[in-house]
Structure formats: C-alpha cells, structure tokens
Amino acid sequence: MNERILTCIGCPLGCLLTATLENGAVTNVQGNTCKRGDDYARKECTTPERMVTGTIRVRNGSAPVVSVRTSVPVPKHKVMEVAAVMSDTVIDAPIVLGDVVLADIADTGTALIATRNVTEK
C-alpha cells in the first residue's frame, strides 16, 4: 500500500487529497469535498495529463511568434517531447485564431492550435 498527497485542481477549493494506491490502482481517496476531487486524484495517480501552451516562431509575420495550445491534454510523459517539437517548428504568416498549426504533435493524436491572429508583413 502506498499513499500520495495531492492538491486538487478540479475546483477553486484546492482540497488536500490523500490517494491510497495498491498494485498501481487507486483504492481510496480522502479529503475531497466534491466528486471532481475523487476523479482528479484517480486520474492524476494513474494516467496524468497536461494541457501544453507555448509559442511557435512565425516567418514573415507581424509578430515573431504566435501563442499555441494543445487541443486536449496530452500524457504527462509526452510534455517535454511536445515542447521540443514546438521549439523546432516555424510556420508562415498569416495565422488565424483557431488554426491547426500541427495536426498530430509528437505522435499524441493531439492538434496544436493557434490562440491569436498574426498577420503577414
């Protein structure tokens, strides 16, 4: 039996959670005041995911970079790989808010989406 202490990010309360794990599975969650806390602890202990945000360089644009985000959270172990792909990517202006910059970043099945407009120079 193993215990893991977490601060819930499911709602603004930020409950201090204690998740009990046995053989890699969460068997109990304590400290949550709502169902979201239980769901968060179970997912965080077994298959953690993160939204990734950042910037991509822009060629011939009114701004040197465009802000981007993943369309859905990616597995936590892939975050650094996603960031590395983002740092190596350069795209051409114009870019429109909501454009898919990369359809499948770092083989995650997740799209990378522009979060602002960048016009052409």
Side-chain angles (χ1 to χ4, degrees):
M1 184 171 73
N2 185 18
E3 285 190 345
R4 187 156 169 213
I5 307 297
L6 305 161
T7 301
C8 183
I9 60 170
C11 77
L13 291 177
C15 296
L16 187 61
L17 308 174
T18 302
T20 304
L21 292 93
E22 291 183 28
N23 299 321
V26 177
T27 57
N28 186 40
V29 176
Q30 294 179 320
N32 56 303
T33 57
C34 67
K35 173 95 170 84
R36 287 180 283 183
D38 185 82
D39 293 343
Y40 169 75
R42 290 176 189 280
K43 185 163 187 132
E44 184 64 17
C45 289
T46 57
T47 54
E49 296 178 320
R50 300 290 184 268
M51 289 294 290
V52 180
T53 62
T55 57
I56 299 288
R57 289 185 302 250
V58 177
R59 192 175 14 245
N60 300 318
S62 58
V65 296
V66 64
S67 56
V68 293
R69 67 169 175 83
T70 53
S71 57
V72 295
V74 298
K76 188 176 176 182
H77 71 274
K78 293 287 251 176
V79 169
M80 295 308 290
E81 189 176 339
V82 167
V85 171
M86 289 169 49
S87 73
D88 292 340
T89 301
V90 180
I91 58 175
D92 293 314
I95 302 152
V96 177
L97 171 75
D99 278 354
V100 174
V101 175
L102 295 171
D104 180 12
I105 189 161
D107 297 320
T108 61
T110 303
L112 193 64
I113 299 176
T115 60
R116 66 176 279 206
N117 296 322
V118 176
T119 59
E120 198 170 3
K121 271 189 195 178

